[in-house]
mmCIF file with all atom_site columns, all heavy atoms in Angstrom:
data_model
loop_
_atom_site.group_PDB
_atom_site.id
_atom_site.type_symbol
_atom_site.label_atom_id
_atom_site.label_alt_id
_atom_site.label_comp_id
_atom_site.label_asym_id
_atom_site.label_entity_id
_atom_site.label_seq_id
_atom_site.pdbx_PDB_ins_code
_atom_site.Cartn_x
_atom_site.Cartn_y
_atom_site.Cartn_z
_atom_site.occupancy
_atom_site.B_iso_or_equiv
_atom_site.pdbx_formal_charge
_atom_site.auth_seq_id
_atom_site.auth_comp_id
_atom_site.auth_asym_id
_atom_site.auth_atom_id
_atom_site.pdbx_PDB_model_num
ATOM 1  N N   . PRO V 1 17  ? 108.577 110.736 100.965 1.00 0.00 ? 17  PRO V N   1
ATOM 2  C CA  . PRO V 1 17  ? 108.817 109.282 101.037 1.00 0.00 ? 17  PRO V CA  1
ATOM 3  C C   . PRO V 1 17  ? 110.181 108.910 101.613 1.00 0.00 ? 17  PRO V C   1
ATOM 4  O O   . PRO V 1 17  ? 110.275 107.997 102.427 1.00 0.00 ? 17  PRO V O   1
ATOM 5  C CB  . PRO V 1 17  ? 108.683 108.840 99.575  1.00 0.00 ? 17  PRO V CB  1
ATOM 6  C CG  . PRO V 1 17  ? 107.752 109.818 98.966  1.00 0.00 ? 17  PRO V CG  1
ATOM 7  C CD  . PRO V 1 17  ? 108.097 111.124 99.626  1.00 0.00 ? 17  PRO V CD  1
ATOM 8  N N   . TRP V 1 50  ? 103.010 106.132 101.145 1.00 0.00 ? 50  TRP V N   1
ATOM 9  C CA  . TRP V 1 50  ? 104.119 105.170 101.275 1.00 0.00 ? 50  TRP V CA  1
ATOM 10 C C   . TRP V 1 50  ? 103.493 103.817 101.507 1.00 0.00 ? 50  TRP V C   1
ATOM 11 O O   . TRP V 1 50  ? 102.673 103.644 102.415 1.00 0.00 ? 50  TRP V O   1
ATOM 12 C CB  . TRP V 1 50  ? 104.967 105.610 102.454 1.00 0.00 ? 50  TRP V CB  1
ATOM 13 C CG  . TRP V 1 50  ? 106.227 104.850 102.730 1.00 0.00 ? 50  TRP V CG  1
ATOM 14 C CD1 . TRP V 1 50  ? 107.484 105.257 102.435 1.00 0.00 ? 50  TRP V CD1 1
ATOM 15 C CD2 . TRP V 1 50  ? 106.375 103.585 103.382 1.00 0.00 ? 50  TRP V CD2 1
ATOM 16 N NE1 . TRP V 1 50  ? 108.403 104.309 102.856 1.00 0.00 ? 50  TRP V NE1 1
ATOM 17 C CE2 . TRP V 1 50  ? 107.751 103.270 103.445 1.00 0.00 ? 50  TRP V CE2 1
ATOM 18 C CE3 . TRP V 1 50  ? 105.472 102.663 103.920 1.00 0.00 ? 50  TRP V CE3 1
ATOM 19 C CZ2 . TRP V 1 50  ? 108.219 102.091 104.011 1.00 0.00 ? 50  TRP V CZ2 1
ATOM 20 C CZ3 . TRP V 1 50  ? 105.948 101.486 104.477 1.00 0.00 ? 50  TRP V CZ3 1
ATOM 21 C CH2 . TRP V 1 50  ? 107.320 101.216 104.525 1.00 0.00 ? 50  TRP V CH2 1
ATOM 22 N N   . ALA V 1 80  ? 108.179 101.011 114.858 1.00 0.00 ? 80  ALA V N   1
ATOM 23 C CA  . ALA V 1 80  ? 108.544 102.208 114.083 1.00 0.00 ? 80  ALA V CA  1
ATOM 24 C C   . ALA V 1 80  ? 107.306 102.860 113.482 1.00 0.00 ? 80  ALA V C   1
ATOM 25 O O   . ALA V 1 80  ? 107.177 104.095 113.490 1.00 0.00 ? 80  ALA V O   1
ATOM 26 C CB  . ALA V 1 80  ? 109.555 101.843 113.006 1.00 0.00 ? 80  ALA V CB  1
ATOM 27 N N   . LEU V 1 94  ? 96.453  99.190  107.580 1.00 0.00 ? 94  LEU V N   1
ATOM 28 C CA  . LEU V 1 94  ? 96.616  97.935  106.871 1.00 0.00 ? 94  LEU V CA  1
ATOM 29 C C   . LEU V 1 94  ? 95.461  97.914  105.880 1.00 0.00 ? 94  LEU V C   1
ATOM 30 O O   . LEU V 1 94  ? 94.294  97.955  106.278 1.00 0.00 ? 94  LEU V O   1
ATOM 31 C CB  . LEU V 1 94  ? 96.519  96.737  107.808 1.00 0.00 ? 94  LEU V CB  1
ATOM 32 C CG  . LEU V 1 94  ? 96.591  95.388  107.076 1.00 0.00 ? 94  LEU V CG  1
ATOM 33 C CD1 . LEU V 1 94  ? 98.014  95.135  106.599 1.00 0.00 ? 94  LEU V CD1 1
ATOM 34 C CD2 . LEU V 1 94  ? 96.125  94.257  107.953 1.00 0.00 ? 94  LEU V CD2 1
ATOM 35 N N   . ASP V 1 105 ? 82.057  81.708  94.235  1.00 0.00 ? 105 ASP V N   1
ATOM 36 C CA  . ASP V 1 105 ? 83.356  81.216  94.692  1.00 0.00 ? 105 ASP V CA  1
ATOM 37 C C   . ASP V 1 105 ? 83.515  81.531  96.172  1.00 0.00 ? 105 ASP V C   1
ATOM 38 O O   . ASP V 1 105 ? 83.751  82.664  96.562  1.00 0.00 ? 105 ASP V O   1
ATOM 39 C CB  . ASP V 1 105 ? 84.473  81.856  93.893  1.00 0.00 ? 105 ASP V CB  1
ATOM 40 C CG  . ASP V 1 105 ? 85.859  81.399  94.330  1.00 0.00 ? 105 ASP V CG  1
ATOM 41 O OD1 . ASP V 1 105 ? 85.981  80.436  95.112  1.00 0.00 ? 105 ASP V OD1 1
ATOM 42 O OD2 . ASP V 1 105 ? 86.841  82.022  93.865  1.00 0.00 ? 105 ASP V OD2 1
ATOM 43 N N   . GLY V 1 110 ? 84.815  86.547  102.438 1.00 0.00 ? 110 GLY V N   1
ATOM 44 C CA  . GLY V 1 110 ? 85.149  86.516  103.857 1.00 0.00 ? 110 GLY V CA  1
ATOM 45 C C   . GLY V 1 110 ? 86.542  87.023  104.149 1.00 0.00 ? 110 GLY V C   1
ATOM 46 O O   . GLY V 1 110 ? 87.468  86.822  103.373 1.00 0.00 ? 110 GLY V O   1
ATOM 47 N N   . TYR V 1 127 ? 95.060  101.334 111.638 1.00 0.00 ? 127 TYR V N   1
ATOM 48 C CA  . TYR V 1 127 ? 93.665  100.952 111.451 1.00 0.00 ? 127 TYR V CA  1
ATOM 49 C C   . TYR V 1 127 ? 93.572  100.049 110.237 1.00 0.00 ? 127 TYR V C   1
ATOM 50 O O   . TYR V 1 127 ? 94.525  99.897  109.479 1.00 0.00 ? 127 TYR V O   1
ATOM 51 C CB  . TYR V 1 127 ? 92.765  102.180 111.345 1.00 0.00 ? 127 TYR V CB  1
ATOM 52 C CG  . TYR V 1 127 ? 93.028  103.073 110.155 1.00 0.00 ? 127 TYR V CG  1
ATOM 53 C CD1 . TYR V 1 127 ? 92.378  102.876 108.933 1.00 0.00 ? 127 TYR V CD1 1
ATOM 54 C CD2 . TYR V 1 127 ? 93.911  104.156 110.260 1.00 0.00 ? 127 TYR V CD2 1
ATOM 55 C CE1 . TYR V 1 127 ? 92.609  103.702 107.860 1.00 0.00 ? 127 TYR V CE1 1
ATOM 56 C CE2 . TYR V 1 127 ? 94.145  104.992 109.183 1.00 0.00 ? 127 TYR V CE2 1
ATOM 57 C CZ  . TYR V 1 127 ? 93.495  104.761 107.991 1.00 0.00 ? 127 TYR V CZ  1
ATOM 58 O OH  . TYR V 1 127 ? 93.728  105.575 106.921 1.00 0.00 ? 127 TYR V OH  1
ATOM 59 N N   . HIS V 1 136 ? 80.615  91.793  88.494  1.00 0.00 ? 136 HIS V N   1
ATOM 60 C CA  . HIS V 1 136 ? 79.533  90.853  88.219  1.00 0.00 ? 136 HIS V CA  1
ATOM 61 C C   . HIS V 1 136 ? 78.777  91.320  86.989  1.00 0.00 ? 136 HIS V C   1
ATOM 62 O O   . HIS V 1 136 ? 78.417  92.491  86.869  1.00 0.00 ? 136 HIS V O   1
ATOM 63 C CB  . HIS V 1 136 ? 78.587  90.795  89.438  1.00 0.00 ? 136 HIS V CB  1
ATOM 64 C CG  . HIS V 1 136 ? 77.414  89.898  89.245  1.00 0.00 ? 136 HIS V CG  1
ATOM 65 N ND1 . HIS V 1 136 ? 77.528  88.537  89.086  1.00 0.00 ? 136 HIS V ND1 1
ATOM 66 C CD2 . HIS V 1 136 ? 76.100  90.173  89.229  1.00 0.00 ? 136 HIS V CD2 1
ATOM 67 C CE1 . HIS V 1 136 ? 76.323  88.019  88.968  1.00 0.00 ? 136 HIS V CE1 1
ATOM 68 N NE2 . HIS V 1 136 ? 75.445  88.989  89.043  1.00 0.00 ? 136 HIS V NE2 1
ATOM 69 N N   . ALA V 1 142 ? 64.605  92.231  79.592  1.00 0.00 ? 142 ALA V N   1
ATOM 70 C CA  . ALA V 1 142 ? 63.953  92.923  78.475  1.00 0.00 ? 142 ALA V CA  1
ATOM 71 C C   . ALA V 1 142 ? 62.724  93.664  78.992  1.00 0.00 ? 142 ALA V C   1
ATOM 72 O O   . ALA V 1 142 ? 61.968  93.166  79.806  1.00 0.00 ? 142 ALA V O   1
ATOM 73 C CB  . ALA V 1 142 ? 63.518  91.883  77.426  1.00 0.00 ? 142 ALA V CB  1
#
Side-chain angles (χ1 to χ4, degrees):
W50 185 104
L94 177 73
D105 179 10
Y127 63 90
H136 178 65

